[in-house]
Amino acid sequence: YNMKFRNYKEHNEPFNYYTFDNFLCEKELESFRNIDLNKNASNLTGERTDNKNRYYVNEKNKNEHFVTERLIDFFTRKETINFFQEKHNLNLNHTYLRVELINDNEGSFLKPHKDIKEKLISLLVYINETDEDENIGTSLYDKNLEFVKTVPFKNNFGFYFLPGDDTWHGLEKIKVKKDRKMIMINYCTFKTDFKVQK
């Protein structure tokens, strides 16, 4: 599949989602390591909106790090947009890209939730270089909010889904050795610094 989506796989339990691995190259991973996310780390108590220290990539800070520059470039590129549009019969015209770097602390949890309808694609890339348990990935639930499975928290491994009525997901209370770091990417209809297409 598309350039960076290596070992791309489709899954349909408990809803449709798509996994891939080896997403970032070594230079991008190195750049990510150099970002001090500790001042942006938080202990989630059920909702991501609890976090006052969210690290969003914007026009001002995107060039501070190689990895953020590359992420913006990749996800606003025509080939990437076309890949999502053709694969999922989506229209991403007049949408915006939101990129957030995340570090969740020990004991964090997220209640099962569906993403807001303004998000058209939700994508996560996990960074696990501290030998964290793979079970601290994203928890997926069925429509009765019963836990079904966890997307494994493997290093440089990612997944995405198209938010809908049945895409219940969250985070069971986690134990971390050091960090639960990841990159969150959304194509959304609300405004950010990065417009996708005219």
Side-chain angles (χ1 to χ4, degrees):
Y1 277 83
N2 184 294
M3 314 62 82
K4 271 175 159 301
F5 296 133
R6 300 180 185 91
N7 293 328
Y8 184 90
K9 290 193 180 74
E10 301 189 15
H11 308 258
N12 48 26
E13 270 301 306
F15 52 79
N16 293 340
Y17 68 97
Y18 309 84
T19 57
F20 49 90
D21 62 16
N22 292 318
F23 184 72
L24 300 175
C25 70
E26 191 41 55
K27 194 175 170 194
E28 290 163 341
L29 282 168
E30 181 59 39
S31 168
F32 187 89
R33 282 178 210 122
N34 291 331
I35 301 175
D36 179 13
L37 282 183
N38 285 330
K39 59 178 184 290
N40 295 91
S42 84
N43 193 326
L44 294 176
T45 53
E47 292 175 13
R48 215 167 259 294
T49 47
D50 301 345
N51 181 357
K52 303 291 178 282
N53 303 320
R54 300 181 73 166
Y55 186 116
Y56 290 112
V57 180
N58 56 35
E59 200 55 66
K60 231 182 355 226
N61 65 20
K62 75 165 186 191
N63 297 329
E64 286 174 17
H65 304 283
F66 177 71
V67 66
T68 50
E69 225 173 295
R70 288 284 294 261
L71 286 166
I72 299 298
D73 173 62
F74 175 74
F75 284 103
T76 54
R77 215 183 277 173
K78 210 176 205 69
E79 300 87 21
T80 311
I81 303 297
N82 289 344
F83 167 75
F84 285 123
Q85 294 198 136
E86 287 160 20
K87 174 92 191 128
H88 303 293
N89 194 21
L90 269 180
N91 179 3
L92 294 177
N93 285 331
H94 307 298
T95 58
Y96 295 86
L97 184 70
R98 183 166 77 162
V99 178
E100 181 181 1
L101 309 181
I102 293 172
N103 187 8
D104 293 331
N105 288 342
E106 174 70 37
S108 289
F109 73 98
L110 275 175
K111 293 186 292 229
H113 63 285
K114 298 183 291 190
D115 284 353
I116 55 175
K117 64 179 187 321
E118 286 79 4
K119 291 182 181 178
L120 303 184
I121 294 177
S122 291
L123 182 148
L124 283 174
V125 178
Y126 299 134
I127 307 294
N128 181 359
E129 299 188 313
T130 47
D131 192 31
E132 302 298 337
D133 190 319
E134 287 188 3
N135 287 327
I136 67 169
T138 305
S139 309
L140 307 183
Y141 304 88
D142 66 20
K143 57 183 189 308
N144 302 316
L145 304 195
E146 295 291 332
F147 171 80
V148 176
K149 62 162 84 156
T150 298
V151 180
F153 191 73
K154 295 192 288 214
N155 190 40
N156 211 3
F157 179 84
F159 83 106
Y160 75 89
F161 62 91
L162 278 54
D165 287 341
D166 60 346
T167 54
W168 292 97
H169 60 287
L171 178 62
E172 300 288 295
K173 203 167 197 137
I174 57 167
K175 283 207 169 315
V176 297
K177 293 176 187 161
K178 190 166 185 296
D179 289 310
R180 182 183 187 263
K181 288 185 172 174
M182 52 194 184
I183 298 165
M184 187 193 281
I185 311 274
N186 296 114
Y187 288 102
C188 45
T189 55
F190 54 80
K191 205 168 176 185
T192 72
D193 283 0
F194 309 107
K195 196 165 176 43
V196 170
Q197 284 185 331
K198 302 285 176 283

